[in-house]
Amino acid sequence: MSGPGATRRDPGLPPRAAEGQPGPGVDWSRVRGDFPLLGREVHGKPLVYFDSANTSQKPAAVIDAVDGFYRRHNANVSRAVHQLGSEATEAYEDARAKLAGFINARPDDLVLTSGTTFAINLVAYSWALPRLGSGDVILLTRMEHHANIVPWQLVAQRTGARIDVVELLPDGSLDLDMLRAKIAGDVKLLAVAHVSNVLGTVNPVADICREARRRGIVTVVDGSQALPHRPVDVAGIGCDFYALTGHKMCGPTGTGALWARRGHLDGMPPFIGGGEMIREVRLDGGTVFNDPPRKFEAGTPNIAGFVGLGAAVDYLSALGMDRVEAREQALLAHLAEEFAKVDGLRVFGTAPGKAAVVSFAIDGVHSHDLATLLDLEGMAVRSGQHCAHPLLEWLGVSATCRASLAFYNTHEEIDAFVAALRKVRRLLA
Ligand SMILES: Cc1ncc(COP(=O)(O)O)c(C=O)c1O
C-alpha cells in the first residue's frame, strides 16, 4: 500500500554512512530542516523552541503521513469490508507494529491510547482497582508527574490502599536506599518515571524493576520523557507496565500506548466499554469481549494520529536513538556550561546522566515574567509547576522556568537564549 509511511523522508542522514555511529555522520542542520515550523518567526525574531518536553515539533514526514491518510485512505478501522476500510485498518495496525518494534515489544502487548495519562489510568482502573485493598501500599516517587500520582490517589481512596513516597537526594536523583527500604514493606505496586519532566533525572528503572519483581511488586514506568530522548527496551527494563505518549516523540497529539507484560492484559477487565472492544454483545448481559489489546480500545481511535506516530517512529529509527541521545547530551553540556556563567541562575536537578530537560530560576525574577519576556525574544520555554506540585514543593519554589531541548535544537540557539536571559535579567533583577 502506498500512502502513510510511503511519504517518509530520509531525515538528514547521508545514506548508510552514519549507521551505527553516535553523533558524527548526521547532518543535524539538515535534520532541523525536516521540521517546517522551526523556520518561522515569533514576534519578529527567529523562533527558538525550547519546550519539547511539553510537546515536540513534528517533522514533515509525520505531517505528510497524516495528510496522506486523510487524502487517500480515510475510513474507519476494523469495521468496513471495503478497500478503504482495509487500508485504514492496515495502516493503524502497521503503526502499532512499528511502535512495538521501537520499544522491543510484541504488537499484541501494546494497547493504543490517547497518551500516557490514559495509559496509566487504564492500569489504575483495570489492574489496581480490583486487586488492591486496605493495608496495601502504592509506592510513588517525589518526582512524578500528576498523571502518575492522581490515578493512584483515586485508587487509594476507593480501595483503602495507602500511598507512600520515595524522596530525592539533593541533586534530584532518587534516594535508592529509601526505595529499597520501602519496597521491603507491604508495597503491591510501584509507579516511577523513567525520566523526570522537571529535573531531567534518568532513573535506573531496570534495577528498580528487578528488585521490585523479586518481592512480587508490580511496576508501572512512566516513559513519557524517556522515549523522545533515548533507546527504550521494555523487555530489558523488566517492568510490568510501560506508559508512553506520542506527541513528545515527534508524533501527533492524542496518541500514546500502554505496554503490558504478557499475561497482564488477559486478566484485566475492560476500562472503557463500547464498539470495537467486543466480540459479541447480548442484551441478557452475556457480552463477550475482544482479545487484548483490542479489548481496551473502545470506540473509533485516532487513526490518522497513529499513522503519524508510525511515521515518527520511522523517522526516529532512521536517525537512530543512540545518535539522538548523543546529540542532545552535547547540547545539554553546552547549555550547562553557558548557564554556569549567568549570575544568579540556579539549575534544579543535576543528577549524573540527566536528560536535556533543565529547570532553572533567576534570583529576583518570577519565572512567568522571565518566560513572557523570553517569548518577546521569540523563545519558547515553559514556566510554572510542570504538573508536578509535590516536586516543586520539595524544591521550595512556586514555579520554575524549563528549557527542554531536542535533537533539532542547535548550539547557536543556546547562545542566543543565554544572551536573551542576560538581557532579561538586566531588565528585571
Ligand atoms: C513525565 C510525564 N508523565 C505524563 C505526562 C502526561 O502525558 P500526556 O498528557 O501525553 O498524557 C507528561 C506530559 O507532560 C509527562 O511529562
Side-chain angles (χ1 to χ4, degrees):
M1 174 180 113
S2 65
T7 50
R8 187 193 332 162
R9 286 156 38 129
D10 169 24
L13 281 176
R16 311 196 74 81
E19 296 299 320
Q21 302 161 17
V26 179
D27 180 350
W28 291 106
S29 63
R30 237 187 94 200
V31 168
R32 185 178 170 86
D34 292 335
F35 291 77
L37 188 142
L38 295 177
R40 69 163 280 186
E41 293 191 338
V42 169
H43 302 307
K45 310 264 172 59
L47 168 68
V48 172
Y49 188 76
F50 282 180
D51 198 19
S52 294
N54 210 350
T55 195
S56 69
Q57 293 304 338
K58 321 300 175 200
V62 169
I63 299 166
D64 291 349
V66 174
D67 180 79
F69 176 78
Y70 280 126
R71 285 180 189 281
R72 291 189 295 280
H73 308 290
N74 181 46
N76 212 331
V77 291
S78 314
R79 296 180 185 186
V81 290
H82 55 68
Q83 178 62 24
L84 291 187
S86 30
E87 287 177 11
T89 305
E90 191 185 321
Y92 179 69
E93 291 303 331
D94 194 40
R96 188 197 307 275
K98 283 176 182 173
L99 189 56
F102 195 60
I103 59 171
N104 191 23
R106 285 187 339 146
D108 280 354
D109 298 331
L110 203 62
V111 181
L112 299 184
T113 68
S114 59
T116 293
T117 303
F118 191 100
I120 294 176
N121 275 276
L122 170 53
V123 185
Y125 283 89
S126 285
W127 189 89
L129 205 53
R131 287 171 178 80
L132 299 191
S134 158
D136 290 337
V137 174
I138 301 170
L139 189 58
L140 310 179
T141 86
R142 171 66 69 173
M143 70 175 81
E144 299 311 312
H145 185 281
H146 295 163
N148 206 19
I149 300 175
V150 182
W152 306 120
Q153 291 178 329
L154 296 174
V155 167
Q157 276 166 18
R158 287 170 64 171
T159 59
R162 182 169 63 82
I163 304 266
D164 199 1
V165 177
V166 180
E167 298 291 348
L168 311 184
L169 299 176
D171 68 355
S173 52
L174 264 187
D175 184 339
L176 294 173
D177 290 336
M178 183 185 282
L179 187 139
R180 275 182 212 107
K182 292 204 168 184
I183 61 174
D186 294 321
V187 177
K188 288 284 178 309
L189 184 143
L190 167 64
V192 58
H194 194 164
V195 175
S196 160
N197 65 313
V198 178
L199 305 169
T201 306
V202 180
N203 288 318
V205 284
D207 297 342
I208 291 172
C209 292
R210 193 178 321 111
E211 295 201 27
R213 197 165 174 73
R214 244 185 254 140
R215 292 176 162 78
I217 298 167
V218 163
T219 45
V220 182
V221 178
D222 174 354
S224 308
Q225 298 289 349
L227 237 64
H229 303 297
R230 49 183 29 241
V232 169
D233 172 349
V234 288
I237 291 170
C239 52
D240 288 283
F241 296 100
Y242 195 94
L244 63 97
T245 199
H247 69 97
K248 297 181 199 291
M249 51 178 283
C250 297
T253 50
T255 61
L258 174 72
W259 173 82
R261 182 184 281 276
R262 206 170 301 176
H264 279 321
L265 294 179
D266 294 327
M268 287 163 55
F271 173 33
I272 303 283
E276 301 304 328
M277 48 76 74
I278 44 79
R279 215 186 275 296
E280 186 188 348
V281 174
R282 293 164 54 113
L283 289 178
D284 65 5
T287 293
V288 182
F289 302 125
N290 215 331
D291 291 333
R294 284 156 206 87
K295 181 168 82 173
F296 302 101
E297 294 176 6
T300 300
N302 181 1
I303 308 164
F306 281 104
V307 169
L309 183 56
V313 166
D314 285 340
Y315 183 86
L316 292 173
S317 303
L319 273 182
M321 290 310 293
D322 287 335
R323 285 187 284 250
V324 165
E325 188 181 14
R327 162 74 176 173
E328 292 181 358
Q329 285 297 312
L331 291 169
L332 174 64
H334 185 54
L335 183 74
E337 204 178 301
E338 293 305 309
F339 267 13
K341 298 178 198 160
V342 180
D343 289 338
L345 188 151
R346 195 155 49 114
V347 169
F348 302 100
T350 53
K354 67 175 271 177
V357 175
V358 185
S359 286
F360 65 95
I362 292 189
D363 292 344
V365 181
H366 194 281
S367 73
H368 286 328
D369 295 338
L370 187 55
T372 304
L373 289 181
L374 286 170
D375 176 55
L376 294 177
E377 300 291 323
M379 301 181 175
V381 292
R382 183 161 174 193
S383 141
Q385 301 191 317
H386 317 292
C387 299
H389 289 177
L391 177 55
L392 270 280
E393 189 188 348
W394 179 80
L395 290 173
V397 290
S398 58
T400 75
C401 263
R402 182 184 69 184
S404 52
L405 309 180
F407 57 87
Y408 44 67
N409 290 126
T410 66
H411 287 71
E412 292 71 31
E413 284 181 306
I414 292 171
D415 293 340
F417 182 73
V418 172
L421 268 185
R422 286 207 171 89
K423 182 173 155 189
V424 171
R425 186 174 169 274
R426 275 196 303 275
L427 280 173
L428 294 179

